[in-house]
Amino acid sequence: MHAAYERAGLPIGAHLDLTWRCPLRCKHCYVQRCDPQRGRSRFASGAACSERSRGAGGAATEASVAADPCEAELSTAQVFDLLEQMRSLQVLALAVSGGEIFVRKDLLRILERARELHFRLLLKTSGTVGSKALWKQVVAIHPGLVDISLYSHVPEIHDAVTGMGGSFRKSLATILMLQDAGITVDVVATLLRGYAEDPDALRSGLERLGVRSVHFNTVSDAMCEGKDVRGLFVDAEALARQVAAEALARRGAAKAPARRAATEGTAGAVPTARKTTDPVCSAGFNRFSVTPSGDVLPCVRIPEVAGNVLKTPLADVWWRSEVLNRYRSYRWGQLDQGRCVACPDSPHCPFCFGISLSDTGDPLKRSDEICRLAAATREAWERSSANDRPKLGPPPQAGPGTPPAKPRGGDKGGVDE
């Protein structure tokens, strides 16, 4: 299936942020971002924007956008139209995220429409919003996967990170209810200095509480422009242990089709020998992201706007955007003027254009944060026993970054049956 999409140059997945609004105030949060002066979403500190947005009451209006760009959200009808455009591009997997998606009063209608269009749904939520009756309706829609973040197995520590008393209790109750209902739930944990720094203790603690699947994220200051979160970074030892734990979790998840099995370009992935002509990642190649106001980005981490669905049809953005075509063209030999491909850590490197762009102002320049993660991944790999290691992956023959084929029959393109 992936090969067919690669040949046709079509997006297999999309990430849709429905809102930036959220009742939580997580210390490392990246999603509350807007720039009122420029009138479009961007990566920025979210305190002022989120405070203004709290008064919106969760309702999405039928107007094109709200007057305040911090509150700008596509209407229900506009989201429906966007979903139909995504389906016309033959998108299969749709991640619905935010902000907290359940603050939108029209969320169920949106999810129901997405299922009618046969998307495989991934929901990203804190699990703190919504009644039991609402969550039962979500279960009836049967999303393929629900991601919920927890920052400790100790309620007081988790609540200190989220800034909301009782948030751990609410999130855990939602997780257990969804698991009991047969919904696949991935708890996504983030190690934070001073809060939770031991991945093994965090995972075992959550498992004792009944959590069945735990994955790990790394906190990224590149997602938090305007916030200094480097003080939350765990040390190299803890990071290497986290990467090792995530590698084992991903290899286990690959055996379960409902869970995420794609590991390319992520910490803990199978090391891959790099060549100068290898593509770097899937940004703008087989995936894209859409902000609450309709801006299309190559990836949720890359704040370069390729177009806006309120002004330009999604297919035109996908095929003709200079931004998307530029990211598709990037190769490993271009990273840091050729130095990255020669780096001994390159087989383990989860290079990220978004982190580099935010850290250095140049998506092709190496970032200290990426190098730190690559070194931790190599360290975790070297510590693992031979029995635990999958084989070294060969260089990709085709994959993310390959320029899309020209669409056949106008702008619609097609996947070979």
Side-chain angles (χ1 to χ4, degrees), residues 315-358:
D316 287 351
V317 177
W318 178 256
W319 295 114
R320 296 190 172 96
S321 164
E322 180 276 330
V323 171
L324 296 181
N325 281 305
R326 173 159 44 84
Y327 276 94
R328 291 165 186 150
S329 72
Y330 290 150
R331 295 294 183 270
W332 264 91
Q334 297 172 264
L335 301 180
D336 208 38
Q337 298 180 335
R339 287 185 284 269
C340 285
V341 74
C343 174
D345 288 344
S346 67
H348 306 270
C349 181
F351 193 94
C352 174
F353 294 127
I355 294 178
S356 289
L357 184 62
S358 183

Side-chain angles (χ1 to χ4, degrees), residues 55-75:
T61 69
E62 291 297 322
S64 293
V65 293
D68 186 338
C70 293
E71 299 175 8
E73 295 175 5
L74 298 177
S75 70

Side-chain angles (χ1 to χ4, degrees), residues 7-63:
R7 289 194 300 270
L10 291 167
I12 198 167
H15 179 110
L16 174 58
D17 284 312
L18 289 175
T19 182
W20 292 148
R21 291 174 285 130
C22 182
L24 305 184
R25 294 295 177 266
C26 298
K27 295 182 179 298
H28 61 295
C29 183
Y30 71 88
V31 299
Q32 297 156 340
R33 56 202 169 182
C34 70
D35 185 341
Q37 284 69 45
R38 297 175 68 179
R40 63 177 176 82
S41 59
R42 68 188 296 268
F43 288 71
S45 174
C49 291
S50 58
E51 285 302 315
R52 280 197 294 273
S53 298
R54 291 178 74 177
T61 69
E62 291 297 322

